[in-house]
Amino acid sequence: MENATSARDLRIAQILLFITPAMFTTNMVMARATAGLIPPVALAELRWLGVVLVLLPFCGRELWRARAAILREWKEFAVLGFLGMGICGGGVYYGAATTTATNIGLIYATSPVMIILLSRMLFAERFSLRQGLGTALALTGVLAIILRGDPATILHLTFTPGDLIILVAAASWALYSVLLKHWPSRLSVSARLATIAFAGVLVVLPVQALELAVVGPPSFDLRTIAAVVTLILVPGVGAYATFGYMTKHLGPNRTGLMLYLSPVYTAIMAWLLLGEVFAFYHWLGTALVLPGLYFATHKPDKP
């Protein structure tokens, strides 16, 4: 029965690998759309406080029963909250003010490589030849989209101060991903996410106080409220919960590869919602990314 459950969990995680990036892509698009509307730290705090409030009805009893264990592990939760909800959360919204959604997707596409390197450096985690070839294939597909099928495009790429902030956020995400796997917890996925999110809210409070003193409180209208609710439910509860599930069953290296799908999904969203042309290089990139992810995340059955 345990083996059957493990096999089922693995299949679910592999399916989520192709769904979760769409939810993370929503965060990148919303980060750019809300730039200038809501101060970045306030937006991150509202997002993660909302995540905690949404999850509490489902895991509140579990959290109360595990309160002693949570207090013992508070340092780990604080670090994960600082990395995943503080730097990675507020950093994306802060950087989006001076960069584009395309650049955010481009820079975040480096996270899988960072995850592999950090896993190797910190925990001596191995990466098979099959996974390496699949990763290289997926990365080639991402580059095909970024460079629009023309390698010469790389000579004309421009970067802004916001890009550096996004790079720091991507590195923070990579470290969060690795630590999430190697710091195991007895909490369920939803309870652990609620605890990490609440820790992130507390850790970032001093920065929030500084932002309030300098910028002032955010103003709310129907547009900003809709943006906050979307960020809470889609890239907040949805994306982080499924990411935690995948990290548990696939490991950080294979789970991190999902970020290679972000440029593909961004192109598809622009095609469906904005009427932009889905060009040949988009098809080429997709044709490389999808089999690359398959080879990098699926282990061949043993004879």
Side-chain angles (χ1 to χ4, degrees):
M1 179 65 70
E2 184 176 348
N3 290 335
T5 301
S6 298
R8 183 193 63 192
D9 291 338
L10 182 60
R11 285 194 298 271
I12 293 173
Q14 289 168 341
I15 293 172
L16 290 174
L17 187 71
F18 295 90
I19 298 174
T20 305
M23 292 188 279
F24 277 114
T25 298
T26 302
N27 188 48
M28 298 175 187
V29 174
M30 293 299 295
R32 184 59 182 166
T34 56
L37 295 178
I38 307 176
V41 180
L43 184 57
E45 288 282 79
L46 288 170
R47 174 189 176 188
W48 293 113
L49 181 59
V51 168
V52 174
L53 295 177
V54 169
L55 291 176
L56 272 181
F58 303 97
C59 61
R61 290 183 179 179
E62 179 185 352
L63 291 173
W64 178 253
R65 291 195 300 267
R67 60 189 183 279
I70 292 173
L71 288 175
R72 286 196 300 268
E73 300 173 16
W74 71 268
K75 292 182 180 179
E76 294 180 0
F77 288 120
V79 170
L80 290 172
F82 177 68
L83 293 172
M85 287 68 188
I87 299 178
C88 189
V92 170
Y93 303 137
Y94 193 83
T98 55
T99 190
T100 64
T102 301
N103 275 19
I104 294 175
L106 161 64
I107 296 169
Y108 259 88
T110 65
S111 290
V113 177
M114 296 185 198
I115 291 172
I116 293 169
L117 294 176
L118 287 172
S119 296
R120 183 71 177 176
M121 291 169 55
L122 298 178
F123 300 100
E125 195 165 298
R126 294 183 179 182
F127 201 64
S128 69
L129 177 61
R130 177 188 175 93
Q131 289 175 311
L133 292 175
T135 302
L137 190 61
L139 180 58
T140 302
V142 170
L143 291 175
I145 295 173
I146 292 170
L147 302 179
R148 299 176 178 269
D150 181 9
T153 305
I154 198 170
L155 299 176
H156 307 292
L157 289 176
T158 58
F159 296 92
T160 68
D163 295 326
L164 181 59
I165 297 173
I166 300 299
L167 182 61
V168 173
S172 176
W173 171 257
L175 184 56
Y176 169 88
S177 303
V178 174
L179 295 179
L180 191 69
K181 169 65 177 179
H182 291 279
W183 286 351
S185 174
R186 294 183 178 180
L187 295 177
S188 65
V189 171
S190 59
R192 192 182 191 193
L193 174 58
T195 305
I196 295 173
F198 185 66
V201 169
L202 294 180
V203 169
V204 179
L205 274 179
V207 185
Q208 174 65 88
L210 178 62
E211 184 184 77
L212 285 173
V214 175
V215 181
S219 57
F220 294 99
D221 55 26
L222 187 60
R223 182 182 177 186
T224 55
I225 293 173
V228 171
V229 171
T230 300
L231 289 172
I232 290 171
L233 297 179
V234 182
V237 175
Y240 271 71
T242 55
F243 181 83
Y245 184 91
M246 290 186 298
T247 299
K248 179 179 179 180
H249 297 289
L250 293 178
N253 286 351
R254 292 194 288 166
T255 300
L257 295 173
M258 71 173 188
L259 290 173
Y260 284 141
L261 276 175
S262 292
V264 176
Y265 284 8
T266 301
I268 293 174
M269 284 185 179
W271 175 47
L272 293 175
L273 302 177
L274 304 177
E276 295 184 6
V277 176
F278 200 72
F280 168 74
Y281 56 82
H282 292 128
W283 292 110
L284 175 62
T286 303
L288 292 171
V289 167
L290 294 181
L293 286 175
Y294 176 82
F295 288 122
T297 59
H298 287 68
K299 294 181 179 180
D301 295 332
K302 295 181 180 180

PDB file of all heavy atoms in Angstrom, residues 194-228:
ATOM      1  N   ALA A 194       1.529  27.610   5.701  1.00  0.00           N
ATOM      2  CA  ALA A 194       0.953  28.639   6.563  1.00  0.00           C
ATOM      3  C   ALA A 194       1.979  29.123   7.585  1.00  0.00           C
ATOM      4  O   ALA A 194       2.081  30.333   7.855  1.00  0.00           O
ATOM      5  CB  ALA A 194      -0.288  28.096   7.263  1.00  0.00           C
ATOM      6  N   THR A 195       2.740  28.182   8.145  1.00  0.00           N
ATOM      7  CA  THR A 195       3.751  28.546   9.144  1.00  0.00           C
ATOM      8  C   THR A 195       4.868  29.369   8.528  1.00  0.00           C
ATOM      9  O   THR A 195       5.299  30.386   9.085  1.00  0.00           O
ATOM     10  CB  THR A 195       4.338  27.274   9.789  1.00  0.00           C
ATOM     11  OG1 THR A 195       3.280  26.474  10.324  1.00  0.00           O
ATOM     12  CG2 THR A 195       5.302  27.636  10.902  1.00  0.00           C
ATOM     13  N   ILE A 196       5.355  28.951   7.357  1.00  0.00           N
ATOM     14  CA  ILE A 196       6.423  29.692   6.685  1.00  0.00           C
ATOM     15  C   ILE A 196       5.935  31.074   6.272  1.00  0.00           C
ATOM     16  O   ILE A 196       6.649  32.074   6.420  1.00  0.00           O
ATOM     17  CB  ILE A 196       6.929  28.908   5.455  1.00  0.00           C
ATOM     18  CG1 ILE A 196       7.582  27.597   5.893  1.00  0.00           C
ATOM     19  CG2 ILE A 196       7.928  29.746   4.656  1.00  0.00           C
ATOM     20  CD1 ILE A 196       7.953  26.677   4.738  1.00  0.00           C
ATOM     21  N   ALA A 197       4.708  31.138   5.752  1.00  0.00           N
ATOM     22  CA  ALA A 197       4.157  32.424   5.324  1.00  0.00           C
ATOM     23  C   ALA A 197       4.022  33.378   6.508  1.00  0.00           C
ATOM     24  O   ALA A 197       4.363  34.569   6.406  1.00  0.00           O
ATOM     25  CB  ALA A 197       2.797  32.218   4.650  1.00  0.00           C
ATOM     26  N   PHE A 198       3.540  32.866   7.647  1.00  0.00           N
ATOM     27  CA  PHE A 198       3.390  33.715   8.830  1.00  0.00           C
ATOM     28  C   PHE A 198       4.757  34.172   9.334  1.00  0.00           C
ATOM     29  O   PHE A 198       4.926  35.334   9.727  1.00  0.00           O
ATOM     30  CB  PHE A 198       2.644  32.962   9.927  1.00  0.00           C
ATOM     31  CG  PHE A 198       2.340  33.798  11.131  1.00  0.00           C
ATOM     32  CD1 PHE A 198       1.470  34.871  11.042  1.00  0.00           C
ATOM     33  CD2 PHE A 198       2.927  33.518  12.360  1.00  0.00           C
ATOM     34  CE1 PHE A 198       1.180  35.655  12.155  1.00  0.00           C
ATOM     35  CE2 PHE A 198       2.652  34.298  13.472  1.00  0.00           C
ATOM     36  CZ  PHE A 198       1.773  35.364  13.374  1.00  0.00           C
ATOM     37  N   ALA A 199       5.741  33.271   9.290  1.00  0.00           N
ATOM     38  CA  ALA A 199       7.098  33.653   9.683  1.00  0.00           C
ATOM     39  C   ALA A 199       7.633  34.744   8.763  1.00  0.00           C
ATOM     40  O   ALA A 199       8.287  35.686   9.216  1.00  0.00           O
ATOM     41  CB  ALA A 199       8.015  32.419   9.640  1.00  0.00           C
ATOM     42  N   GLY A 200       7.347  34.617   7.457  1.00  0.00           N
ATOM     43  CA  GLY A 200       7.779  35.638   6.506  1.00  0.00           C
ATOM     44  C   GLY A 200       7.147  36.989   6.800  1.00  0.00           C
ATOM     45  O   GLY A 200       7.817  38.037   6.727  1.00  0.00           O
ATOM     46  N   VAL A 201       5.861  36.988   7.142  1.00  0.00           N
ATOM     47  CA  VAL A 201       5.167  38.237   7.481  1.00  0.00           C
ATOM     48  C   VAL A 201       5.831  38.896   8.691  1.00  0.00           C
ATOM     49  O   VAL A 201       6.075  40.107   8.702  1.00  0.00           O
ATOM     50  CB  VAL A 201       3.673  37.962   7.771  1.00  0.00           C
ATOM     51  CG1 VAL A 201       3.007  39.202   8.374  1.00  0.00           C
ATOM     52  CG2 VAL A 201       2.955  37.559   6.489  1.00  0.00           C
ATOM     53  N   LEU A 202       6.157  38.107   9.716  1.00  0.00           N
ATOM     54  CA  LEU A 202       6.777  38.659  10.923  1.00  0.00           C
ATOM     55  C   LEU A 202       8.186  39.184  10.654  1.00  0.00           C
ATOM     56  O   LEU A 202       8.555  40.268  11.126  1.00  0.00           O
ATOM     57  CB  LEU A 202       6.826  37.582  12.015  1.00  0.00           C
ATOM     58  CG  LEU A 202       5.482  37.103  12.566  1.00  0.00           C
ATOM     59  CD1 LEU A 202       5.700  36.037  13.630  1.00  0.00           C
ATOM     60  CD2 LEU A 202       4.685  38.269  13.142  1.00  0.00           C
ATOM     61  N   VAL A 203       8.963  38.418   9.884  1.00  0.00           N
ATOM     62  CA  VAL A 203      10.349  38.807   9.618  1.00  0.00           C
ATOM     63  C   VAL A 203      10.415  40.110   8.829  1.00  0.00           C
ATOM     64  O   VAL A 203      11.320  40.938   9.037  1.00  0.00           O
ATOM     65  CB  VAL A 203      11.072  37.670   8.859  1.00  0.00           C
ATOM     66  CG1 VAL A 203      12.420  38.142   8.338  1.00  0.00           C
ATOM     67  CG2 VAL A 203      11.269  36.463   9.771  1.00  0.00           C
ATOM     68  N   VAL A 204       9.464  40.316   7.928  1.00  0.00           N
ATOM     69  CA  VAL A 204       9.500  41.491   7.045  1.00  0.00           C
ATOM     70  C   VAL A 204       8.842  42.713   7.688  1.00  0.00           C
ATOM     71  O   VAL A 204       8.916  43.820   7.158  1.00  0.00           O
ATOM     72  CB  VAL A 204       8.824  41.148   5.694  1.00  0.00           C
ATOM     73  CG1 VAL A 204       8.806  42.338   4.750  1.00  0.00           C
ATOM     74  CG2 VAL A 204       9.548  39.986   5.024  1.00  0.00           C
ATOM     75  N   LEU A 205       8.223  42.559   8.869  1.00  0.00           N
ATOM     76  CA  LEU A 205       7.534  43.682   9.518  1.00  0.00           C
ATOM     77  C   LEU A 205       8.416  44.933   9.699  1.00  0.00           C
ATOM     78  O   LEU A 205       7.934  46.053   9.465  1.00  0.00           O
ATOM     79  CB  LEU A 205       6.967  43.244  10.869  1.00  0.00           C
ATOM     80  CG  LEU A 205       5.572  42.598  10.844  1.00  0.00           C
ATOM     81  CD1 LEU A 205       5.150  42.185  12.243  1.00  0.00           C
ATOM     82  CD2 LEU A 205       4.546  43.551  10.235  1.00  0.00           C
ATOM     83  N   PRO A 206       9.689  44.801  10.120  1.00  0.00           N
ATOM     84  CA  PRO A 206      10.517  46.016  10.244  1.00  0.00           C
ATOM     85  C   PRO A 206      10.672  46.766   8.918  1.00  0.00           C
ATOM     86  O   PRO A 206      10.652  48.006   8.886  1.00  0.00           O
ATOM     87  CB  PRO A 206      11.861  45.475  10.746  1.00  0.00           C
ATOM     88  CG  PRO A 206      11.513  44.189  11.426  1.00  0.00           C
ATOM     89  CD  PRO A 206      10.397  43.610  10.641  1.00  0.00           C
ATOM     90  N   VAL A 207      10.832  46.019   7.822  1.00  0.00           N
ATOM     91  CA  VAL A 207      10.937  46.652   6.507  1.00  0.00           C
ATOM     92  C   VAL A 207       9.614  47.307   6.129  1.00  0.00           C
ATOM     93  O   VAL A 207       9.574  48.383   5.538  1.00  0.00           O
ATOM     94  CB  VAL A 207      11.357  45.622   5.437  1.00  0.00           C
ATOM     95  CG1 VAL A 207      11.574  46.303   4.094  1.00  0.00           C
ATOM     96  CG2 VAL A 207      12.612  44.883   5.867  1.00  0.00           C
ATOM     97  N   GLN A 208       8.516  46.651   6.498  1.00  0.00           N
ATOM     98  CA  GLN A 208       7.190  47.219   6.237  1.00  0.00           C
ATOM     99  C   GLN A 208       7.007  48.534   6.988  1.00  0.00           C
ATOM    100  O   GLN A 208       6.456  49.497   6.448  1.00  0.00           O
ATOM    101  CB  GLN A 208       6.111  46.215   6.660  1.00  0.00           C
ATOM    102  CG  GLN A 208       4.696  46.748   6.562  1.00  0.00           C
ATOM    103  CD  GLN A 208       4.268  47.045   5.146  1.00  0.00           C
ATOM    104  OE1 GLN A 208       3.771  46.175   4.456  1.00  0.00           O
ATOM    105  NE2 GLN A 208       4.474  48.269   4.685  1.00  0.00           N
ATOM    106  N   ALA A 209       7.472  48.570   8.234  1.00  0.00           N
ATOM    107  CA  ALA A 209       7.362  49.797   9.031  1.00  0.00           C
ATOM    108  C   ALA A 209       8.155  50.925   8.383  1.00  0.00           C
ATOM    109  O   ALA A 209       7.691  52.077   8.332  1.00  0.00           O
ATOM    110  CB  ALA A 209       7.857  49.535  10.454  1.00  0.00           C
ATOM    111  N   LEU A 210       9.347  50.608   7.856  1.00  0.00           N
ATOM    112  CA  LEU A 210      10.164  51.617   7.185  1.00  0.00           C
ATOM    113  C   LEU A 210       9.476  52.118   5.922  1.00  0.00           C
ATOM    114  O   LEU A 210       9.459  53.327   5.646  1.00  0.00           O
ATOM    115  CB  LEU A 210      11.534  51.021   6.847  1.00  0.00           C
ATOM    116  CG  LEU A 210      12.505  51.943   6.105  1.00  0.00           C
ATOM    117  CD1 LEU A 210      12.827  53.165   6.950  1.00  0.00           C
ATOM    118  CD2 LEU A 210      13.791  51.189   5.745  1.00  0.00           C
ATOM    119  N   GLU A 211       8.886  51.208   5.165  1.00  0.00           N
ATOM    120  CA  GLU A 211       8.185  51.607   3.940  1.00  0.00           C
ATOM    121  C   GLU A 211       6.991  52.500   4.262  1.00  0.00           C
ATOM    122  O   GLU A 211       6.741  53.491   3.562  1.00  0.00           O
ATOM    123  CB  GLU A 211       7.731  50.368   3.174  1.00  0.00           C
ATOM    124  CG  GLU A 211       7.068  50.690   1.834  1.00  0.00           C
ATOM    125  CD  GLU A 211       6.549  49.447   1.137  1.00  0.00           C
ATOM    126  OE1 GLU A 211       5.475  48.945   1.546  1.00  0.00           O
ATOM    127  OE2 GLU A 211       7.211  48.971   0.195  1.00  0.00           O
ATOM    128  N   LEU A 212       6.264  52.159   5.303  1.00  0.00           N
ATOM    129  CA  LEU A 212       5.120  52.976   5.708  1.00  0.00           C
ATOM    130  C   LEU A 212       5.557  54.398   6.086  1.00  0.00           C
ATOM    131  O   LEU A 212       4.873  55.372   5.770  1.00  0.00           O
ATOM    132  CB  LEU A 212       4.387  52.325   6.879  1.00  0.00           C
ATOM    133  CG  LEU A 212       3.523  51.105   6.559  1.00  0.00           C
ATOM    134  CD1 LEU A 212       3.007  50.462   7.833  1.00  0.00           C
ATOM    135  CD2 LEU A 212       2.352  51.494   5.651  1.00  0.00           C
ATOM    136  N   ALA A 213       6.703  54.494   6.771  1.00  0.00           N
ATOM    137  CA  ALA A 213       7.201  55.802   7.193  1.00  0.00           C
ATOM    138  C   ALA A 213       7.651  56.645   6.000  1.00  0.00           C
ATOM    139  O   ALA A 213       7.473  57.870   5.997  1.00  0.00           O
ATOM    140  CB  ALA A 213       8.358  55.621   8.177  1.00  0.00           C
ATOM    141  N   VAL A 214       8.214  55.994   4.989  1.00  0.00           N
ATOM    142  CA  VAL A 214       8.761  56.724   3.832  1.00  0.00           C
ATOM    143  C   VAL A 214       7.711  56.946   2.750  1.00  0.00           C
ATOM    144  O   VAL A 214       7.566  58.055   2.217  1.00  0.00           O
ATOM    145  CB  VAL A 214       9.968  55.960   3.244  1.00  0.00           C
ATOM    146  CG1 VAL A 214      10.468  56.652   1.978  1.00  0.00           C
ATOM    147  CG2 VAL A 214      11.088  55.861   4.267  1.00  0.00           C
ATOM    148  N   VAL A 215       6.970  55.903   2.422  1.00  0.00           N
ATOM    149  CA  VAL A 215       6.029  55.953   1.296  1.00  0.00           C
ATOM    150  C   VAL A 215       4.602  56.226   1.744  1.00  0.00           C
ATOM    151  O   VAL A 215       3.823  56.857   1.035  1.00  0.00           O
ATOM    152  CB  VAL A 215       6.085  54.623   0.495  1.00  0.00           C
ATOM    153  CG1 VAL A 215       5.130  54.657  -0.693  1.00  0.00           C
ATOM    154  CG2 VAL A 215       7.501  54.345   0.025  1.00  0.00           C
ATOM    155  N   GLY A 216       4.254  55.724   2.917  1.00  0.00           N
ATOM    156  CA  GLY A 216       2.886  55.847   3.386  1.00  0.00           C
ATOM    157  C   GLY A 216       2.102  54.577   3.114  1.00  0.00           C
ATOM    158  O   GLY A 216       2.571  53.675   2.413  1.00  0.00           O
ATOM    159  N   PRO A 217       0.888  54.480   3.640  1.00  0.00           N
ATOM    160  CA  PRO A 217       0.086  53.264   3.461  1.00  0.00           C
ATOM    161  C   PRO A 217      -0.440  53.154   2.034  1.00  0.00           C
ATOM    162  O   PRO A 217      -0.591  54.162   1.334  1.00  0.00           O
ATOM    163  CB  PRO A 217      -1.064  53.459   4.459  1.00  0.00           C
ATOM    164  CG  PRO A 217      -1.204  54.935   4.579  1.00  0.00           C
ATOM    165  CD  PRO A 217       0.185  55.492   4.463  1.00  0.00           C
ATOM    166  N   PRO A 218      -0.730  51.947   1.585  1.00  0.00           N
ATOM    167  CA  PRO A 218      -1.285  51.764   0.233  1.00  0.00           C
ATOM    168  C   PRO A 218      -2.727  52.252   0.182  1.00  0.00           C
ATOM    169  O   PRO A 218      -3.445  52.249   1.187  1.00  0.00           O
ATOM    170  CB  PRO A 218      -1.207  50.250   0.023  1.00  0.00           C
ATOM    171  CG  PRO A 218      -1.225  49.666   1.396  1.00  0.00           C
ATOM    172  CD  PRO A 218      -0.525  50.662   2.269  1.00  0.00           C
ATOM    173  N   SER A 219      -3.142  52.687  -0.999  1.00  0.00           N
ATOM    174  CA  SER A 219      -4.537  53.062  -1.204  1.00  0.00           C
ATOM    175  C   SER A 219      -5.238  51.931  -1.944  1.00  0.00           C
ATOM    176  O   SER A 219      -4.635  51.280  -2.802  1.00  0.00           O
ATOM    177  CB  SER A 219      -4.630  54.354  -2.019  1.00  0.00           C
ATOM    178  OG  SER A 219      -3.957  54.207  -3.267  1.00  0.00           O
ATOM    179  N   PHE A 220      -6.487  51.702  -1.609  1.00  0.00           N
ATOM    180  CA  PHE A 220      -7.204  50.562  -2.169  1.00  0.00           C
ATOM    181  C   PHE A 220      -8.382  51.013  -3.021  1.00  0.00           C
ATOM    182  O   PHE A 220      -9.109  51.942  -2.668  1.00  0.00           O
ATOM    183  CB  PHE A 220      -7.697  49.640  -1.049  1.00  0.00           C
ATOM    184  CG  PHE A 220      -6.597  48.970  -0.289  1.00  0.00           C
ATOM    185  CD1 PHE A 220      -6.174  49.479   0.932  1.00  0.00           C
ATOM    186  CD2 PHE A 220      -5.964  47.841  -0.797  1.00  0.00           C
ATOM    187  CE1 PHE A 220      -5.154  48.864   1.642  1.00  0.00           C
ATOM    188  CE2 PHE A 220      -4.952  47.224  -0.094  1.00  0.00           C
ATOM    189  CZ  PHE A 220      -4.543  47.732   1.116  1.00  0.00           C
ATOM    190  N   ASP A 221      -8.529  50.353  -4.149  1.00  0.00           N
ATOM    191  CA  ASP A 221      -9.714  50.483  -4.982  1.00  0.00           C
ATOM    192  C   ASP A 221     -10.019  49.088  -5.521  1.00  0.00           C
ATOM    193  O   ASP A 221      -9.367  48.103  -5.137  1.00  0.00           O
ATOM    194  CB  ASP A 221      -9.507  51.495  -6.110  1.00  0.00           C
ATOM    195  CG  ASP A 221      -8.289  51.189  -6.969  1.00  0.00           C
ATOM    196  OD1 ASP A 221      -7.890  49.999  -7.041  1.00  0.00           O
ATOM    197  OD2 ASP A 221      -7.735  52.124  -7.580  1.00  0.00           O
ATOM    198  N   LEU A 222     -11.007  48.981  -6.383  1.00  0.00           N
ATOM    199  CA  LEU A 222     -11.415  47.674  -6.895  1.00  0.00           C
ATOM    200  C   LEU A 222     -10.266  46.972  -7.617  1.00  0.00           C
ATOM    201  O   LEU A 222     -10.093  45.750  -7.486  1.00  0.00           O
ATOM    202  CB  LEU A 222     -12.608  47.829  -7.844  1.00  0.00           C
ATOM    203  CG  LEU A 222     -13.268  46.530  -8.329  1.00  0.00           C
ATOM    204  CD1 LEU A 222     -13.787  45.727  -7.129  1.00  0.00           C
ATOM    205  CD2 LEU A 222     -14.398  46.841  -9.298  1.00  0.00           C
ATOM    206  N   ARG A 223      -9.456  47.739  -8.335  1.00  0.00           N
ATOM    207  CA  ARG A 223      -8.353  47.156  -9.097  1.00  0.00           C
ATOM    208  C   ARG A 223      -7.289  46.568  -8.186  1.00  0.00           C
ATOM    209  O   ARG A 223      -6.826  45.451  -8.385  1.00  0.00           O
ATOM    210  CB  ARG A 223      -7.743  48.222 -10.012  1.00  0.00           C
ATOM    211  CG  ARG A 223      -6.619  47.719 -10.903  1.00  0.00           C
ATOM    212  CD  ARG A 223      -6.056  48.854 -11.734  1.00  0.00           C
ATOM    213  NE  ARG A 223      -4.926  48.421 -12.538  1.00  0.00           N
ATOM    214  CZ  ARG A 223      -4.170  49.236 -13.269  1.00  0.00           C
ATOM    215  NH1 ARG A 223      -4.443  50.530 -13.306  1.00  0.00           N
ATOM    216  NH2 ARG A 223      -3.151  48.769 -13.970  1.00  0.00           N
ATOM    217  N   THR A 224      -6.877  47.333  -7.167  1.00  0.00           N
ATOM    218  CA  THR A 224      -5.824  46.856  -6.275  1.00  0.00           C
ATOM    219  C   THR A 224      -6.308  45.693  -5.415  1.00  0.00           C
ATOM    220  O   THR A 224      -5.552  44.760  -5.141  1.00  0.00           O
ATOM    221  CB  THR A 224      -5.324  47.999  -5.376  1.00  0.00           C
ATOM    222  OG1 THR A 224      -6.435  48.571  -4.673  1.00  0.00           O
ATOM    223  CG2 THR A 224      -4.648  49.075  -6.204  1.00  0.00           C
ATOM    224  N   ILE A 225      -7.568  45.742  -4.988  1.00  0.00           N
ATOM    225  CA  ILE A 225      -8.113  44.633  -4.197  1.00  0.00           C
ATOM    226  C   ILE A 225      -8.146  43.352  -5.023  1.00  0.00           C
ATOM    227  O   ILE A 225      -7.781  42.270  -4.548  1.00  0.00           O
ATOM    228  CB  ILE A 225      -9.519  44.980  -3.672  1.00  0.00           C
ATOM    229  CG1 ILE A 225      -9.436  46.108  -2.640  1.00  0.00           C
ATOM    230  CG2 ILE A 225     -10.183  43.745  -3.055  1.00  0.00           C
ATOM    231  CD1 ILE A 225     -10.774  46.633  -2.190  1.00  0.00           C
ATOM    232  N   ALA A 226      -8.565  43.466  -6.285  1.00  0.00           N
ATOM    233  CA  ALA A 226      -8.595  42.298  -7.174  1.00  0.00           C
ATOM    234  C   ALA A 226      -7.193  41.736  -7.374  1.00  0.00           C
ATOM    235  O   ALA A 226      -6.994  40.513  -7.406  1.00  0.00           O
ATOM    236  CB  ALA A 226      -9.217  42.679  -8.510  1.00  0.00           C
ATOM    237  N   ALA A 227      -6.188  42.627  -7.487  1.00  0.00           N
ATOM    238  CA  ALA A 227      -4.810  42.190  -7.662  1.00  0.00           C
ATOM    239  C   ALA A 227      -4.318  41.424  -6.441  1.00  0.00           C
ATOM    240  O   ALA A 227      -3.682  40.368  -6.560  1.00  0.00           O
ATOM    241  CB  ALA A 227      -3.908  43.388  -7.941  1.00  0.00           C
ATOM    242  N   VAL A 228      -4.609  41.951  -5.248  1.00  0.00           N
ATOM    243  CA  VAL A 228      -4.166  41.300  -4.012  1.00  0.00           C
ATOM    244  C   VAL A 228      -4.827  39.933  -3.855  1.00  0.00           C
ATOM    245  O   VAL A 228      -4.162  38.938  -3.515  1.00  0.00           O
ATOM    246  CB  VAL A 228      -4.464  42.193  -2.791  1.00  0.00           C
ATOM    247  CG1 VAL A 228      -4.216  41.422  -1.498  1.00  0.00           C
ATOM    248  CG2 VAL A 228      -3.601  43.450  -2.828  1.00  0.00           C
TER     249      VAL A 228
END
